[in-house]
Amino acid sequence: MQAPSQQSRKERERQARKTEILDAARTVFSERGFEKATLDEIAARAELGKGTIYNYFNSKEALFASVIVRGIKRFQAYVLAAVQDSSDPRTKIEAYIDASFTFFGKHRSLFSIFEFEKSALARSLGEDLTAAFCENEMDIVQVLEQLFHEGVRSGDFKNLDTQRMAETVFGMIHVGTVQAIRHPESHNLTEQAQFIKSLVFDGLATLKNTNNENRTD
């Protein structure tokens, strides 16, 4: 009767150690870059022996890929949770945008790896992980697309291509995070999120221009 309980405890301990390794790896990769980072440094940061890492990951490339895939899944879960707390389509999309920048603020090192280690990422993922990476990224965009679809269906949004709307907003979020990585001193995350929300829902045209268009029609 004790074996299942003992096994469960061992599994929890194993998962906890794996998490420690991934956290340490994320920090080292963001500080040193993929090429310069070593498993010795990662082991030291995790306060483990190098051999222990090989019990979980067979190479630096596999560890790097796992850091990235875990990050994407965490981002997806974070955004989904934020959206579920909202009601109407506009509020949900605003929550999506806010949550994206909030997550970035909490995990800048992860996004730095995305931005500066793209070539290493392509080499490390391999075909299977590349497919999983692309699928997870598509899932994130599809969440946004579904929200736009809800808004079109309810009459809250114009009847435009929801996929293009989702890709455009996701692209603006991506550019905003990249700028914040490259120029952290001049890019406030809250202001970035507010700018995108204003652009999406208020547009560029002034009230005067809108009235002129209505008179022309």
Side-chain angles (χ1 to χ4, degrees):
M1 298 295 293
Q2 293 181 350
S5 176
Q6 185 178 11
Q7 180 64 33
S8 177
R9 177 173 59 82
K10 287 183 177 179
E11 284 300 317
R12 289 197 301 271
E13 291 174 351
R14 180 176 175 81
Q15 185 58 46
R17 184 156 293 179
K18 183 177 181 180
T19 298
E20 291 173 358
I21 294 172
L22 287 168
D23 289 343
R26 186 186 67 178
T27 301
V28 173
F29 283 134
S30 65
E31 291 176 351
R32 302 273 291 154
F34 175 79
E35 296 296 342
K36 292 182 179 180
T38 67
L39 291 182
D40 290 304
E41 290 175 302
I42 295 170
R45 185 66 64 96
E47 298 183 345
L48 298 170
K50 181 178 177 180
T52 302
I53 293 181
Y54 283 110
N55 291 332
Y56 297 84
F57 307 96
N58 58 21
S59 66
K60 184 172 78 168
E61 287 75 15
L63 177 53
F64 182 72
S66 294
V67 169
I68 298 301
V69 172
R70 184 187 68 159
I72 292 175
K73 289 182 178 179
R74 284 184 169 183
F75 173 74
Q76 184 177 13
Y78 188 86
V79 170
L80 283 173
V83 168
Q84 289 172 358
D85 290 337
S86 304
S87 54
D88 61 280
R90 172 169 177 164
T91 303
K92 289 180 179 180
I93 292 172
E94 289 178 333
Y96 182 107
I97 296 169
D98 287 335
S100 297
F101 282 99
T102 300
F103 186 89
F104 168 80
K106 294 179 178 180
H107 304 280
R108 282 178 181 263
S109 60
L110 175 67
F111 284 82
S112 295
I113 296 172
F114 279 135
E115 179 60 19
F116 298 121
E117 299 291 340
K118 291 178 181 177
S119 59
L121 177 61
R123 294 196 306 271
S124 301
L125 288 177
E127 291 185 5
D128 292 340
L129 284 174
T130 297
F133 177 90
C134 294
E135 183 177 345
N136 284 321
E137 189 173 55
M138 287 178 60
D139 287 344
I140 295 170
V141 178
Q142 285 174 354
V143 170
L144 191 53
E145 181 182 355
Q146 180 59 35
L147 298 180
F148 276 114
H149 181 72
E150 289 179 18
V152 170
R153 188 172 53 196
S154 65
D156 292 323
F157 302 154
K158 293 179 180 179
N159 188 18
L160 300 175
D161 187 317
T162 56
Q163 180 178 347
R164 288 186 178 181
M165 286 193 284
E167 291 173 347
T168 298
V169 172
F170 188 77
M172 286 192 288
I173 294 171
H174 173 72
V175 170
T177 57
V178 170
Q179 291 299 320
I181 290 171
R182 295 184 178 274
H183 309 287
E185 70 288 341
S186 60
H187 285 75
N188 180 281
L189 298 181
T190 302
E191 291 177 357
Q192 290 271 40
Q194 185 57 45
F195 175 81
I196 293 174
K197 289 185 292 184
S198 178
L199 185 61
V200 170
F201 294 113
D202 300 330
L204 294 173
T206 63
L207 181 61
K208 176 182 177 181
N209 288 335
T210 302
N211 291 336
N212 287 338
E213 289 179 3
N214 293 334
R215 283 196 295 271
T216 300
D217 294 339

